[in-house]
Tab-separated table of all heavy atoms in Angstrom:
chain	number	residue	atom	x	y	z
A	730	CYS	N	238.897	228.337	-59.138
A	730	CYS	CA	239.082	227.853	-60.513
A	730	CYS	C	240.519	228.027	-60.988
A	730	CYS	O	240.774	228.273	-62.179
A	730	CYS	CB	238.116	228.536	-61.467
A	730	CYS	SG	236.376	228.168	-61.110
A	732	PHE	N	242.882	226.011	-61.821
A	732	PHE	CA	243.049	224.587	-62.101
A	732	PHE	C	244.495	224.198	-62.372
A	732	PHE	O	244.934	223.116	-61.971
A	732	PHE	CB	242.164	224.181	-63.281
A	732	PHE	CG	240.702	224.400	-63.032
A	732	PHE	CD1	239.937	225.150	-63.910
A	732	PHE	CD2	240.092	223.862	-61.908
A	732	PHE	CE1	238.585	225.346	-63.686
A	732	PHE	CE2	238.732	224.058	-61.668
A	732	PHE	CZ	237.984	224.801	-62.554
A	758	PHE	N	234.358	218.587	-63.049
A	758	PHE	CA	234.108	219.932	-62.530
A	758	PHE	C	234.739	220.982	-63.431
A	758	PHE	O	234.132	222.026	-63.705
A	758	PHE	CB	234.653	220.055	-61.105
A	758	PHE	CG	234.602	221.451	-60.554
A	758	PHE	CD1	233.388	222.128	-60.445
A	758	PHE	CD2	235.757	222.107	-60.150
A	758	PHE	CE1	233.335	223.429	-59.953
A	758	PHE	CE2	235.713	223.401	-59.650
A	758	PHE	CZ	234.493	224.066	-59.549
A	759	VAL	N	235.948	220.705	-63.916
A	759	VAL	CA	236.617	221.631	-64.832
A	759	VAL	C	235.748	221.842	-66.074
A	759	VAL	O	235.532	222.981	-66.515
A	759	VAL	CB	238.005	221.096	-65.240
A	759	VAL	CG1	238.621	221.991	-66.318
A	759	VAL	CG2	238.933	221.011	-64.033
A	760	CYS	N	235.225	220.761	-66.614
A	760	CYS	CA	234.388	220.859	-67.810
A	760	CYS	C	233.098	221.621	-67.511
A	760	CYS	O	232.590	222.350	-68.372
A	760	CYS	CB	234.071	219.461	-68.344
A	760	CYS	SG	235.486	218.634	-69.106
A	761	HIS	N	232.578	221.456	-66.310
A	761	HIS	CA	231.389	222.214	-65.904
A	761	HIS	C	231.684	223.712	-65.946
A	761	HIS	O	230.884	224.494	-66.482
A	761	HIS	CB	230.960	221.794	-64.498
A	761	HIS	CG	230.010	222.739	-63.836
A	761	HIS	ND1	228.679	222.826	-64.175
A	761	HIS	CD2	230.206	223.669	-62.848
A	761	HIS	CE1	228.090	223.758	-63.439
A	761	HIS	NE2	228.991	224.277	-62.623
A	762	VAL	N	232.823	224.104	-65.401
A	762	VAL	CA	233.208	225.519	-65.377
A	762	VAL	C	233.458	226.033	-66.790
A	762	VAL	O	232.997	227.121	-67.165
A	762	VAL	CB	234.457	225.731	-64.496
A	762	VAL	CG1	234.952	227.171	-64.602
A	762	VAL	CG2	234.154	225.375	-63.047
A	763	VAL	N	234.182	225.243	-67.576
A	763	VAL	CA	234.456	225.639	-68.964
A	763	VAL	C	233.145	225.810	-69.725
A	763	VAL	O	232.964	226.764	-70.498
A	763	VAL	CB	235.347	224.591	-69.660
A	763	VAL	CG1	235.418	224.847	-71.171
A	763	VAL	CG2	236.756	224.610	-69.069
A	764	GLY	N	232.205	224.897	-69.508
A	764	GLY	CA	230.942	224.916	-70.236
A	764	GLY	C	230.089	226.138	-69.971
A	764	GLY	O	229.301	226.541	-70.824
A	765	ILE	N	230.218	226.735	-68.783
A	765	ILE	CA	229.411	227.916	-68.460
A	765	ILE	C	230.202	229.216	-68.584
A	765	ILE	O	229.666	230.286	-68.318
A	765	ILE	CB	228.818	227.814	-67.033
A	765	ILE	CG1	229.935	227.767	-65.986
A	765	ILE	CG2	227.903	226.614	-66.907
A	765	ILE	CD1	229.424	227.764	-64.543
A	766	THR	N	231.470	229.093	-68.977
A	766	THR	CA	232.344	230.276	-69.034
A	766	THR	C	232.748	230.650	-70.451
A	766	THR	O	232.745	231.823	-70.817
A	766	THR	CB	233.617	230.038	-68.191
A	766	THR	OG1	233.245	229.658	-66.867
A	766	THR	CG2	234.465	231.299	-68.129
A	767	PHE	N	233.102	229.651	-71.253
A	767	PHE	CA	233.677	229.906	-72.572
A	767	PHE	C	232.668	229.677	-73.694
A	767	PHE	O	231.772	228.837	-73.578
A	767	PHE	CB	234.880	228.988	-72.817
A	767	PHE	CG	236.078	229.298	-71.959
A	767	PHE	CD1	236.234	228.711	-70.707
A	767	PHE	CD2	237.071	230.157	-72.414
A	767	PHE	CE1	237.342	228.986	-69.920
A	767	PHE	CE2	238.187	230.437	-71.640
A	767	PHE	CZ	238.317	229.855	-70.384
A	768	GLN	N	232.879	230.423	-74.776
A	768	GLN	CA	232.215	230.107	-76.045
A	768	GLN	C	233.158	229.294	-76.912
A	768	GLN	O	232.758	228.296	-77.514
A	768	GLN	CB	231.768	231.380	-76.761
A	768	GLN	CG	230.659	232.109	-76.023
A	768	GLN	CD	229.958	233.140	-76.888
A	768	GLN	OE1	228.735	233.188	-76.918
A	768	GLN	NE2	230.722	233.960	-77.590
A	769	THR	N	234.410	229.719	-76.959
A	769	THR	CA	235.467	228.947	-77.616
A	769	THR	C	236.693	228.977	-76.716
A	769	THR	O	236.876	229.909	-75.928
A	769	THR	CB	235.832	229.546	-78.997
A	769	THR	OG1	236.270	230.898	-78.819
A	769	THR	CG2	234.633	229.494	-79.940
A	770	ILE	N	237.536	227.968	-76.863
A	770	ILE	CA	238.741	227.888	-76.046
A	770	ILE	C	239.850	227.218	-76.848
A	770	ILE	O	239.586	226.326	-77.672
A	770	ILE	CB	238.461	227.099	-74.739
A	770	ILE	CG1	239.668	227.131	-73.813
A	770	ILE	CG2	238.032	225.667	-75.037
A	770	ILE	CD1	239.402	226.508	-72.435
A	774	LEU	N	244.936	225.366	-74.032
A	774	LEU	CA	244.470	225.849	-72.736
A	774	LEU	C	243.552	224.826	-72.081
A	774	LEU	O	243.675	224.554	-70.880
A	774	LEU	CB	243.731	227.181	-72.899
A	774	LEU	CG	243.101	227.758	-71.616
A	774	LEU	CD1	244.151	227.939	-70.527
A	774	LEU	CD2	242.393	229.080	-71.910
A	778	LEU	N	243.990	223.001	-68.445
A	778	LEU	CA	242.964	223.046	-67.399
A	778	LEU	C	242.555	221.651	-66.946
A	778	LEU	O	242.177	221.450	-65.788
A	778	LEU	CB	241.730	223.805	-67.910
A	778	LEU	CG	241.921	225.287	-68.242
A	778	LEU	CD1	240.619	225.893	-68.755
A	778	LEU	CD2	242.414	226.061	-67.017
A	796	TRP	N	231.282	219.092	-77.359
A	796	TRP	CA	231.974	220.245	-77.909
A	796	TRP	C	232.528	219.891	-79.285
A	796	TRP	O	232.585	218.720	-79.668
A	796	TRP	CB	233.092	220.695	-76.976
A	796	TRP	CG	232.598	221.058	-75.586
A	796	TRP	CD1	231.344	221.483	-75.262
A	796	TRP	CD2	233.350	221.026	-74.366
A	796	TRP	NE1	231.256	221.720	-73.910
A	796	TRP	CE2	232.470	221.450	-73.326
A	796	TRP	CE3	234.658	220.693	-74.035
A	796	TRP	CZ2	232.878	221.540	-71.997
A	796	TRP	CZ3	235.068	220.783	-72.704
A	796	TRP	CH2	234.180	221.204	-71.698
A	806	ILE	N	232.669	225.644	-77.575
A	806	ILE	CA	231.992	225.136	-76.382
A	806	ILE	C	230.487	225.343	-76.491
A	806	ILE	O	229.701	224.388	-76.481
A	806	ILE	CB	232.520	225.836	-75.106
A	806	ILE	CG1	234.053	225.670	-75.005
A	806	ILE	CG2	231.829	225.281	-73.871
A	806	ILE	CD1	234.529	224.248	-74.888
A	807	ALA	N	230.069	226.582	-76.585
A	807	ALA	CA	228.640	226.886	-76.683
A	807	ALA	C	228.463	228.362	-76.967
A	807	ALA	O	229.332	229.182	-76.685
A	807	ALA	CB	227.923	226.518	-75.378
A	808	ASN	N	227.325	228.695	-77.536
A	808	ASN	CA	226.943	230.085	-77.690
A	808	ASN	C	226.267	230.511	-76.399
A	808	ASN	O	225.106	230.187	-76.157
A	808	ASN	CB	225.996	230.251	-78.885
A	808	ASN	CG	225.659	231.707	-79.154
A	808	ASN	OD1	225.920	232.581	-78.331
A	808	ASN	ND2	225.089	231.968	-80.322
A	809	GLN	N	227.019	231.216	-75.554
A	809	GLN	CA	226.502	231.539	-74.220
A	809	GLN	C	225.269	232.439	-74.273
A	809	GLN	O	224.457	232.438	-73.340
A	809	GLN	CB	227.601	232.211	-73.376
A	809	GLN	CG	228.819	231.328	-73.128
A	809	GLN	CD	228.490	230.072	-72.328
A	809	GLN	OE1	227.439	229.960	-71.720
A	809	GLN	NE2	229.409	229.110	-72.332
A	810	ASP	N	225.095	233.185	-75.384
A	810	ASP	CA	223.898	234.022	-75.505
A	810	ASP	C	222.627	233.184	-75.512
A	810	ASP	O	221.568	233.625	-75.057
A	810	ASP	CB	223.963	234.857	-76.786
A	810	ASP	CG	225.064	235.902	-76.732
A	810	ASP	OD1	225.471	236.252	-75.600
A	810	ASP	OD2	225.525	236.346	-77.793
A	812	ASN	N	222.163	230.610	-73.762
A	812	ASN	CA	221.923	230.065	-72.422
A	812	ASN	C	221.322	231.079	-71.465
A	812	ASN	O	221.000	230.745	-70.325
A	812	ASN	CB	223.240	229.537	-71.832
A	812	ASN	CG	223.782	228.363	-72.636
A	812	ASN	OD1	223.025	227.600	-73.217
A	812	ASN	ND2	225.107	228.230	-72.668
Side-chain angles (χ1 to χ4, degrees):
C730 296
F732 299 126
F758 173 59
V759 173
C760 288
H761 164 75
V762 173
V763 169
I765 63 176
T766 306
F767 291 89
Q768 293 196 133
T769 59
I770 186 173
L774 176 57
L778 296 179
W796 301 334
I806 304 298
N808 185 347
Q809 298 297 345
D810 292 338
N812 296 329

